[in-house]
Amino acid sequence: MGSLGDHIETNGVTNGATNGTNGVNGVNGAGAGHNSQPFNGRLWTANVRVNGNTNGHSNGRTNGHANGYTNGHTNGANGHHGEEWFVGSIDQGTTSSRFLIFNREMDPVASHQIEFENYYPESGWHEHDALELLDSVETCIEKAVKQFTSKGYSKSQIKAVGITNQRETVVCWDTITGEPLCNAVVWPDTRTKDIVRDLKNYPGAHAIPEICGLPLSTYPSSVKLVWLLQNDISVRQAYEDGRLAFGTVDSWLIYRLNGKDRNVHVTDTTNASRTMFMNLHTAQYDDRLLSFFGIDRNKVALPKIVPSSDPKAFGSIANGALAGVRIAGCLGDQSSALVGQCGFKPGQAKNTYGTGCFLLYNVGTRPVLSKYGLLATVAYDLGKGKKPVYALEGSIAVAGAGVKFLMNNLGFIRDSTKVGELAETVHDNGGVVFVTAFSGLFAPYWIDDAKGTLFGITQHTQRGHIARATLEATCFQTRAILEAMEKDSGHRLHSLAVDGGMSNSDLTMQTQADISGIRVERPSMRETTALGAAIAAGLAIEGCWSSFEELQELTDKKAGRRVFKPQVERKKAQRMYQHWERAVDMSRGWVRDDLEYQAEESSRPDILRKPTL
């Protein structure tokens, strides 16, 4: 069993024909060894050491020069040839930022990752320092480009940069100074639960999902902005003064990477669809939605909504190693993973196992509004006159975050990559079920008052049972989402493409296949989230990738795809799932008494009113 992210050391020996790089893989060993990546919350880090040997050559060098690498192709001498090009990808996640550089065969040839601080100032609160996010991205670019040029490449070969980012997280900044007004409020944050409860009872609330595709919950950006306007003095004052800029992380990064003076304030359709301010059908802001949340467009600068792939809309990087390089693509992280998996056809689905877990199902060019607890969202909008493509999405708040909990809070393991080994010390979960509702439960349940709850503990229970139950929790919730998707679409999925940190665990993926009763397909190159942003950027630039067919052909050529098939009896899988459903039902209501007490005892009108700003 491959543990959750084995650190790989390799001598850089790769098969140039398979990985398709000209004078690249012999230097960096990106073909072999890059697939196993240590768990890091939502994403995984490449930790590859190489010495530049190549397939079919004794030492992989030409005339001993540092830039004279070859991988056996006639045009591979001197490290590259005139037609070779690359696309960069900024991958800004919940626990870390990364920058990767992909070649035309969609293999990463250089990368750098930096973790940053997550702040939890109060129970249910989750914040980032917006300047720290920016600094981590800029540092990753510098380090990855340095690695790239050290292998004999030129910065001029990087034709464009794409951005993919954690969604829903809110950044507010001053339009005059360009500086953040407060910490970013991160997507799992639940401080807005009182506002959400109030809004659900407000006239017209039932129609909101029909316009934007999202249910009222603590999840989207809208209620986070409302909370800040009600509770943060700096944000409120900037709003009243007309100098407040609102954006998700993509907007913030694009604004600052372009330089504050350029004032490039945009977002793409996939990120905008997560705010609850965008009409899902028109892909533009809707005054009915803004009015419902009490937002005055004259007092806040909202980012312009543009397609996910565009050669001009996102501007260019103003400073640093890639100064002058265009930002040509932008996708929310889960949409980016779907694009990276080449999920371009209706009926294709992917599941990303990161800090949370997100399953997207391509439904084509017309949105499908769910009747079974799923989100309707934009899958991607790659421009050039094409219509946006929509998806049904199921979101799980806690996936890899549960592994982090075992490590940081309970001290079960010292390294998150070892959770699989701990889980394999026992044969099954020993009757333990762990409902990892640290931020309530997302799709398809949407239970705001659930809390993390551990059932079935006896004197027989060991750490391995709890570790296995933690991994199974994500698999059970994925099955619930798959069943809801089947009901909404009328079609049963027969396979599921996977990526993200936990997908590196053979145990977890086999468990997923067993519990769901369908094939689980894991690609050899699992950097699909970062790849999706690179694809969006490359499609916008002439001379890079030109069609979905070309991308699919490149994907199909890659070796090393792993398929996990169900191995347990259906009756056993059904019994396990029924235990999970019972546990979910019993996890409800743990914060209800506190909320009811607050409602009865508090006379403050700002808690139980519709936010009218």
Side-chain angles (χ1 to χ4, degrees):
M1 193 283 279
S3 65
L4 286 185
D6 301 321
H7 291 244
I8 299 297
E9 294 183 13
T10 176
N11 64 0
V13 178
T14 66
N15 187 324
T18 300
N19 293 293
T21 55
N22 295 306
V24 180
N25 289 335
V27 186
N28 59 26
H34 202 94
N35 300 331
S36 296
Q37 301 151 355
F39 177 65
N40 190 3
R42 184 174 64 83
L43 292 165
W44 296 62
T45 313
N47 189 10
V48 179
R49 276 199 297 220
V50 300
N51 69 5
N53 291 341
T54 61
N55 187 34
H57 295 270
S58 57
N59 60 13
R61 300 186 181 219
T62 299
N63 299 324
H65 293 291
N67 68 344
Y69 296 94
T70 175
N71 67 354
H73 295 282
T74 57
N75 58 4
N78 299 320
H80 56 79
H81 60 87
E83 296 180 358
E84 193 163 20
W85 49 264
F86 301 85
V87 179
S89 178
I90 295 168
D91 185 352
Q92 202 300 298
T94 309
T95 60
S96 69
S97 298
R98 304 190 304 161
F99 185 70
L100 294 87
I101 301 172
F102 291 89
N103 61 19
R104 65 168 61 209
E105 285 77 24
M106 305 193 299
D107 293 314
V109 300
S111 66
H112 192 78
Q113 175 169 359
I114 294 176
E115 292 190 5
F116 50 79
E117 192 74 26
N118 279 259
Y119 301 96
Y120 306 93
E122 296 187 31
S123 177
W125 293 29
H126 190 173
E127 298 180 352
H128 288 154
D129 181 334
L131 290 176
E132 191 175 358
L133 298 185
L134 174 66
D135 181 67
S136 66
V137 167
E138 292 178 330
T139 301
C140 285
I141 292 174
E142 297 295 317
K143 297 288 187 181
V145 171
K146 183 177 180 180
Q147 182 188 127
F148 179 73
T149 56
S150 73
K151 296 172 180 178
Y153 302 118
S154 168
K155 290 186 287 186
S156 64
Q157 292 177 275
I158 301 175
K159 299 304 180 184
V161 167
I163 294 177
T164 183
N165 57 282
Q166 53 172 310
R167 303 169 304 169
E168 294 97 14
T169 297
V170 168
V171 184
C172 291
W173 66 93
D174 191 315
T175 58
I176 297 174
T177 67
E179 297 300 314
L181 293 162
C182 59
N183 276 350
V185 181
V186 187
W187 58 271
D189 188 288
T190 59
R191 73 184 72 182
T192 58
K193 58 183 181 292
D194 296 335
I195 292 172
V196 171
R197 190 180 69 254
D198 183 28
L199 288 173
K200 285 181 177 179
N201 295 320
Y202 196 78
H206 68 281
I208 297 302
E210 298 175 8
I211 303 172
C212 66
L214 306 179
L216 282 165
S217 73
T218 60
Y219 190 28
S221 310
S222 55
V223 293
K224 295 175 172 60
L225 178 59
V226 170
W227 189 96
L228 288 169
L229 288 168
Q230 290 185 357
N231 294 277
D232 190 288
I233 295 175
S234 297
V235 174
R236 178 73 190 203
Q237 190 60 56
Y239 178 77
E240 296 296 347
D241 295 343
R243 53 183 173 82
L244 173 64
F246 159 86
T248 42
V249 170
D250 57 309
S251 299
W252 166 246
L253 293 178
I254 291 167
Y255 171 73
R256 290 298 295 259
L257 290 173
N258 271 275
K260 293 182 287 186
D261 293 340
R262 294 186 189 176
N263 194 29
V264 180
H265 191 197
V266 298
T267 188
D268 92 296
T269 322
T270 67
N271 279 293
S273 71
R274 314 300 295 188
T275 62
M276 292 191 83
F277 296 147
M278 190 191 87
N279 185 311
L280 194 64
H281 309 274
T282 66
Q284 295 299 323
Y285 293 116
D286 192 296
D287 288 336
R288 292 171 296 176
L289 296 172
L290 292 165
S291 177
F292 180 82
F293 291 107
I295 305 298
D296 185 345
R297 291 186 70 170
N298 296 316
K299 293 183 177 181
V300 58
L302 300 174
K304 179 182 178 182
I305 301 173
V306 300
S308 310
S309 179
D310 192 283
K312 296 180 179 179
F314 304 108
S316 60
I317 297 175
N319 302 296
L322 294 183
V325 175
R326 282 181 285 181
I327 303 170
C330 179
L331 289 160
D333 52 7
Q334 304 313 317
S335 291
S336 193
L338 183 67
V339 171
Q341 291 270 20
C342 290
F344 299 125
K345 297 178 181 179
Q348 291 183 304
K350 71 89 201 172
N351 201 16
T352 296
Y353 299 78
T355 300
C357 193
F358 304 89
L359 201 158
L360 258 67
Y361 179 84
N362 185 328
V363 297
T365 55
R366 297 181 64 180
V368 174
L369 299 178
S370 176
K371 298 179 181 178
Y372 298 96
L374 303 179
L375 310 179
T377 192
V378 177
Y380 54 83
D381 179 7
L382 298 178
K384 296 183 178 179
K386 296 180 180 178
K387 294 181 179 180
V389 171
Y390 295 91
L392 285 170
E393 176 176 334
S395 306
I396 299 170
V398 176
V403 177
K404 288 283 190 179
F405 175 79
L406 295 184
M407 180 177 70
N408 297 332
N409 297 56
L410 301 185
F412 277 19
I413 46 179
R414 294 184 178 180
D415 184 344
S416 58
T417 65
K418 303 298 182 182
V419 68
E421 294 179 14
L422 178 59
E424 287 196 316
T425 61
V426 294
H427 295 298
D428 55 31
N429 61 24
V432 174
V433 178
F434 190 3
V435 182
T436 50
F438 302 153
S439 303
L441 286 171
F442 286 2
Y445 306 106
W446 299 108
I447 306 173
D448 290 336
D449 62 359
K451 286 290 187 181
T453 318
L454 200 56
F455 296 95
I457 295 178
T458 68
Q459 288 183 319
H460 167 70
T461 302
Q462 301 173 30
R463 291 184 304 164
H465 294 124
I466 297 175
R468 189 176 280 264
T470 302
L471 300 178
E472 289 176 350
T474 300
C475 300
F476 285 129
Q477 291 176 84
T478 297
R479 170 171 168 170
I481 292 170
L482 288 170
E483 290 185 348
M485 287 182 171
E486 181 179 347
K487 292 175 183 177
D488 275 323
S489 67
H491 299 285
R492 176 172 170 78
L493 278 176
H494 296 286
S495 64
L496 180 66
V498 299
D499 55 65
M502 290 177 71
S503 72
N504 280 337
S505 165
D506 288 358
L507 172 63
T508 306
M509 294 301 96
Q510 185 58 58
T511 301
Q512 186 68 78
D514 291 341
I515 289 173
S516 302
I518 62 174
R519 295 193 319 273
V520 172
E521 299 181 357
R522 184 178 67 190
S524 59
M525 202 291 289
R526 275 158 255 169
E527 301 290 1
T528 52
T529 302
L531 176 60
I535 288 173
L539 287 171
I541 302 299
E542 187 176 349
C544 297
W545 300 298
S546 60
S547 68
F548 293 164
E549 291 75 20
E550 177 187 3
L551 294 165
Q552 188 64 61
E553 183 179 349
L554 289 169
T555 299
D556 293 341
K557 286 181 179 179
K558 294 185 182 297
R561 193 173 190 87
R562 176 80 184 271
V563 177
F564 299 86
K565 298 179 180 180
Q567 294 180 353
V568 302
E569 294 181 0
R570 279 194 124 172
K571 287 184 178 180
K572 180 180 179 181
Q574 185 61 25
R575 285 197 303 271
M576 294 172 64
Y577 186 63
Q578 287 173 347
H579 285 153
W580 163 261
E581 291 285 285
R582 285 181 57 202
V584 166
D585 190 57
M586 295 173 69
S587 72
R588 297 171 183 265
W590 285 97
V591 295
R592 188 175 300 154
D593 290 341
D594 293 339
L595 294 177
E596 289 175 356
Y597 175 81
Q598 187 179 38
E600 292 170 3
E601 297 297 319
S602 175
S603 59
R604 292 180 297 167
D606 60 319
I607 290 181
L608 295 174
R609 66 175 175 84
K610 175 183 179 289
T612 304
L613 305 174

